[in-house]
Amino acid sequence: MPGALSRRSALSFLGGAMAVAATGGAVATGGGGWPAAAAAPASGPGPATGHAPGPGSRVDSLIGRMTLEEKLALLHGAKDPHGLGQAGYTPGVPRLGIPPLRLADGPAGVRVTRHATALPAPVLLASAFDPALAREYGRTIGREARALGQDVLLSPMVNLIRTPYAGRNFETFGEDPLLASELVAEEVRGIQGEGLIATVKHFAMNNQEHERESIDVIVGERTMREMELPGFEAAVRAGAGAVMGAYNKVNGAFACESEPLLTGVLREDWGFDGWVMTDWHAAHSTAAALGAGLDMEMPDGKYFGDALRKAVANGTVPEAEVDRAVGRVLTVMDRFGLLDGGAPPRPGRDPGAGARTALKVATAGGVLLRNERGTLPLTGPAARSIAVVGPTGSIPFVSGGGSAHVVPDHAASPLETIRERAGKGARVDYALGEDVFGKKIPGSALSPATGLEKRKVAAGKSWTYDGTLTVAEADEWTFVLHFSGPPTGRPKVLLDGEELFPFRPGLAEYFTGGLVSAAPDGLAVRRAAVRLTAGKHRLKVTAKSGGKGLTFRLRRTTSATRAADVAEAVRAAGAAHSVVLFGYEDATEGRDRTTIALPGHQNALIDAVARANPRTTVVLNTSSCTSMPWLKHTGAVLQMYYPGQEGAAATTALLFGDANPGGRLTQSFPVSDDRHPMAGDSRRYPGVNGREEYSEGVHVGYRWYDAEGVRPLFPFGHGLSYTTFAYAGLRLRRRGSGLEAVFTVRNTGRRAGAEVAQVYVGPSPDLPLDQAERSLAGFRRVHLRPGQARKVTVRMAARALSSWDSERHGWVLGTGRRTVEVGSSSRDPRLRGHIEVRHGS
């Protein structure tokens, strides 16, 4: 990346006032809250609003009194003697009154070993297109984290959804930088308004899990500035106290030791005065990282512990650089009242309040993708005769795996809430459809016929089975191992001499999904699909118990068991008026998806059930976009992502029409694996020889579909309602350095509902740059009663009209005649107009 530009110089490229003249008779739209180019860090409520101490302040005084050992203790993680299972800890300096810091994961709730509110995944929050709701979401996490003894939240994540395969797509907001910027800023304000330090992550270009610890992202300056960095900039301007560096490299340098990023962009351009920490085990050096702008190594001190002490002693690292990093940590702590006892008292947990927010977010973010033949809402006969199908119909799907996993206070299953809502006299049947936990291996297939269904091994003992598995005909078997205790203590299963469940390296064992990796009784689960020939196979199981004993079982699914499950689901569907079929995809940190198709044999299940009953609604609990080869046979599709602990209640309210779907897609849904921006180019994803090229430039997400003329399955911004909306009367006017669009939205149906009015701006004819055909420039969520009309004003900031000039290293206004559209998605313009944008004096 080119050398750093001073913050003052970079901001000056936007110039002075901009004049905008509307063409005669045109109707146009605008809007948006992109971070203003010259705005200072925003002042939200609570203790995060203070300013950094100046020279001679409390921070300077403390640094002057600290030993080198005490300084280093603030710059790397340590073991917490009183931990709650949180991600990180620094011990502080007790003799100087510097308290410890406890750092917890929390993209969708506080990740500790105690109960916390399991909120919907951020991608579902984003689907509401509601910045105020994002602030409430942040407040809930902030309040709970402080109640649970935490000081720093390792969230929010604002990396864009670039590839549909990225395993953490559910932890972030979407594919559009303006939407991400608006939401992350408000979430940060909500978190920090409760006295908790927010950490925006992963800085930067961390858009996949595949080879995430080593991949070198090759990206142009303009692509970076226009696509990936705006969300981070918005978080900084909202006052985020900390930034987490990413694992990956960016243009040849690890992100956690990239001076252009950590110093040039973050501090010089944006004026960030907080501290930068590594992602866990993402440090690679001592002097280089500290000099580049890294302040804290997590979760231990491999590079910033003894190695840094020695580097200071031998003169390799000036102690002034240590002081600088310590000062940044202490500055944020002081801002939050942690150095003078000024922090507000820790609140008590309020599970009821958390549950209300979780329900509100899940209900607001649910996206109705399809609704044919009046399939939804379920009313009349449709509400009194229902077949619920799918494993996630009877098991609560709360969250994804890895850092996003939360231990909820409670979580009902959709089957429970649907039955309760349908009421007495209604018939709600259930069919499994797809078995994710396996069925007992019959004793007749084993010789000796020792049962493997439930074995208990006493503490300190071992147990071995060494026998023969006889398979009647060639088939694909999925072996499913259930076991208690840590992954390192699970039984060893050899089939024909090969280990079925080898221990995965690094943290892969611990980054498992949130649903299918744990059985309903709490045992951990691992799976292995194997093609078996007819005949005999040697099966050996060795189980060694630790100090607490071991419980395990070995199960399987086969073509025959799958066919029986599908047949049962088809019978249930045929006997019911309506079907609600739950589809799932279980994603986790540390692992990318290999396809956008639903896992297992769900596509065949959905197709069979929908053909048996066209009044089938498919509810999707997936991390990201999904292909739908069965779509034309279904009546409705409701996208609920990972909906949190109140997901079943929210889903049921939307199905029965107690709430009107108002969510919109924040990512484009491709038709198939070969029809999206990453398809057919392994250099873009997953990378070649350790290099990943962002050769799509600014054409991320819906911009790529427009540029290539590819029709998505569902476009960015898409979402249906149980009512209808009409747009009229748009006009543009100048407002400060941007535009203001005024238009009317009317609810023309019979139900109250929310519409998300989206404003898109076309390219500038005066900029000799490759530009998007349309880019989101603003949006507004509008709640309307039946027949109600409301005049809506949406602002388009100057940034939304500008592009990054890589030669001048700054933003330039896109002058000339610009096309502006307003509508219900990126592919559904209801009104269109033109406007002349020009530089003013």
Side-chain angles (χ1 to χ4, degrees), residues 64 125 156 177 202 241 250 290 318 415 478 573 593 609 676 689 697 699 737 739 793 824 839:
L125 165 70
H202 309 84
V250 179
L290 189 67
L415 181 60
T478 298
R593 305 160 78 189
V609 168
H676 59 75
N689 297 324
H699 299 295
S737 60
L739 302 176
T793 301
S824 289
H839 287 288

Side-chain angles (χ1 to χ4, degrees), residues 757-818:
Q758 303 158 46
V759 180
Y760 297 86
V761 63
S764 162
D766 296 344
L767 291 181
L769 300 170
D770 184 21
Q771 300 172 67
E773 183 175 323
R774 61 180 56 82
S775 299
L776 185 68
F779 59 89
R780 183 65 53 83
R781 185 179 177 96
V782 186
H783 295 267
L784 296 170
R785 299 185 303 275
Q788 182 184 9
R790 181 175 300 168
K791 183 177 289 186
V792 178
T793 301
V794 180
R795 182 167 181 255
M796 241 189 328
R799 175 71 67 88
L801 304 172
S802 302
S803 297
W804 184 266
D805 188 327
S806 297
E807 293 184 2
R808 299 171 64 187
H809 308 299
W811 293 99
V812 292
L813 182 64
T815 56
R817 183 179 170 85
R818 308 286 294 268

Side-chain angles (χ1 to χ4, degrees), residues 425-616:
R427 179 177 177 181
V428 179
D429 294 325
Y430 174 72
L432 179 63
E434 172 94 349
D435 190 347
V436 296
F437 297 116
K439 303 184 190 302
K440 178 181 177 180
I441 299 176
S444 60
L446 297 170
S447 179
T450 303
L452 297 174
E453 173 57 20
K454 193 162 187 180
R455 305 296 309 186
K456 291 191 176 183
V457 184
K461 302 294 183 178
S462 62
W463 181 87
T464 299
Y465 174 85
D466 193 349
T468 301
L469 171 69
T470 301
V471 177
E473 57 185 15
D475 193 11
E476 178 185 283
W477 280 44
T478 298
F479 289 90
V480 188
L481 177 66
H482 302 223
F483 62 96
S484 62
T488 51
R490 70 164 174 257
K492 186 175 184 179
V493 182
L494 296 176
L495 183 68
D496 294 330
E498 284 202 28
E499 173 62 75
L500 283 182
F501 308 100
F503 191 79
R504 290 175 286 190
L507 296 174
E509 278 295 336
Y510 301 93
F511 290 142
T512 55
L515 173 81
V516 298
S517 63
D521 63 358
L523 296 186
V525 175
R526 297 291 185 273
R527 295 171 184 77
V530 182
R531 293 293 307 182
L532 294 180
T533 57
K536 299 182 182 298
H537 299 267
R538 184 181 178 188
L539 179 66
K540 184 175 182 180
V541 181
T542 304
K544 295 181 179 180
S545 174
K548 296 183 178 180
L550 172 68
T551 299
F552 78 92
R553 52 183 170 251
L554 183 64
R555 294 179 169 180
R556 95 306 186 209
T557 60
T558 66
S559 294
T561 68
R562 288 191 291 270
D565 287 337
V566 171
E568 178 194 14
V570 167
R571 285 193 296 271
H577 184 282
S578 303
V579 178
V580 181
L581 192 158
F582 288 82
Y584 75 92
E585 176 259 322
D586 200 18
T588 179
E589 174 182 0
R591 185 178 69 236
D592 280 347
R593 305 160 78 189
T594 57
T595 175
I596 61 171
L598 292 172
H601 299 80
Q602 292 181 87
N603 281 341
L605 168 67
I606 297 172
D607 188 72
V609 168
R611 287 176 185 271
N613 189 332
R615 293 178 299 277
T616 293

Side-chain angles (χ1 to χ4, degrees), residues 61 175 185 237 253 268-269 292 300 328 349 356 363 388 396 436 523 575 638 643 663 681 731 835:
S61 174
E175 67 190 25
R237 300 205 186 288
E268 293 183 358
D269 287 10
D300 52 30
R328 289 167 176 162
R349 270 204 72 216
R356 288 190 291 275
T363 306
V388 176
V436 296
L523 296 186
L638 179 63
D681 191 342
R731 60 190 179 91
I835 193 160

Side-chain angles (χ1 to χ4, degrees), residues 12-157:
S12 71
F13 276 113
L14 274 177
M18 166 185 88
V20 184
T23 55
V27 288
T29 68
W34 200 289
S43 296
T49 62
H51 298 287
S57 67
R58 180 184 299 109
V59 168
D60 295 324
S61 174
L62 285 171
I63 293 174
R65 297 160 58 197
M66 294 169 69
T67 66
L68 178 60
E69 194 69 31
E70 289 169 336
K71 294 173 185 176
L72 297 182
L74 298 183
L75 301 186
H76 66 82
K79 184 177 180 180
D80 185 353
H82 307 291
L84 290 177
Q86 79 275 4
Y89 170 80
T90 61
V93 184
R95 76 174 184 89
L96 296 177
I98 301 174
L101 289 176
R102 290 181 169 86
L103 304 84
D105 288 316
V110 187
R111 185 176 181 253
V112 292
T113 52
R114 293 186 182 175
H115 290 285
T117 300
L119 292 163
V123 71
L124 185 54
L125 165 70
S127 299
F129 278 73
D130 189 344
L133 191 59
R135 184 179 285 214
E136 180 178 338
Y137 186 95
R139 282 200 306 267
T140 297
I141 300 176
R143 184 170 55 252
E144 288 217 332
R146 293 204 70 245
L148 290 166
Q150 304 303 302
D151 307 291
V152 182
L153 185 74
L154 305 174
S155 184
M157 175 179 171

Side-chain angles (χ1 to χ4, degrees), residues 542-760:
T542 304
K544 295 181 179 180
S545 174
K548 296 183 178 180
L550 172 68
T551 299
F552 78 92
R553 52 183 170 251
L554 183 64
R555 294 179 169 180
R556 95 306 186 209
T557 60
T558 66
S559 294
T561 68
R562 288 191 291 270
D565 287 337
V566 171
E568 178 194 14
V570 167
R571 285 193 296 271
H577 184 282
S578 303
V579 178
V580 181
L581 192 158
F582 288 82
Y584 75 92
E585 176 259 322
D586 200 18
T588 179
E589 174 182 0
R591 185 178 69 236
D592 280 347
R593 305 160 78 189
T594 57
T595 175
I596 61 171
L598 292 172
H601 299 80
Q602 292 181 87
N603 281 341
L605 168 67
I606 297 172
D607 188 72
V609 168
R611 287 176 185 271
N613 189 332
R615 293 178 299 277
T616 293
T617 296
V618 178
V619 178
L620 292 171
N621 293 129
T622 60
S623 68
S624 191
C625 57
T626 305
S627 58
M628 305 179 195
W630 33 260
L631 184 64
K632 65 181 180 181
H633 301 301
T634 64
V637 178
L638 179 63
Q639 178 69 46
M640 292 300 295
Y641 296 107
Y642 299 158
Q645 68 180 50
E646 305 299 323
T651 300
T652 299
L654 293 169
L655 290 172
F656 283 84
D658 302 328
N660 193 344
R664 302 293 183 265
L665 291 182
T666 67
Q667 57 189 304
S668 306
F669 273 41
V671 171
S672 63
D673 280 303
D674 58 2
R675 301 282 283 175
H676 59 75
M678 304 295 112
D681 191 342
S682 57
R683 293 172 300 175
R684 287 186 183 176
Y685 178 85
V688 176
N689 297 324
R691 285 168 54 97
E692 175 191 23
E693 301 177 9
Y694 282 32
S695 57
E696 71 275 13
V698 298
H699 299 295
V700 175
Y702 64 89
R703 295 166 171 82
W704 179 87
Y705 290 89
D706 289 342
E708 299 297 322
V710 174
R711 185 178 182 84
L713 182 64
F714 295 110
F716 174 89
H718 171 74
L720 303 177
S721 171
Y722 297 149
T723 189
T724 53
F725 300 94
Y727 292 73
L730 283 86
R731 60 190 179 91
L732 282 178
R733 61 192 182 201
R734 178 178 173 179
R735 185 72 173 181
S737 60
L739 302 176
E740 198 169 71
V742 182
F743 52 93
T744 299
V745 180
R746 182 184 299 275
N747 183 342
T748 55
R750 297 180 179 180
R751 288 177 175 264
E755 170 70 330
V756 177
Q758 303 158 46
V759 180
Y760 297 86

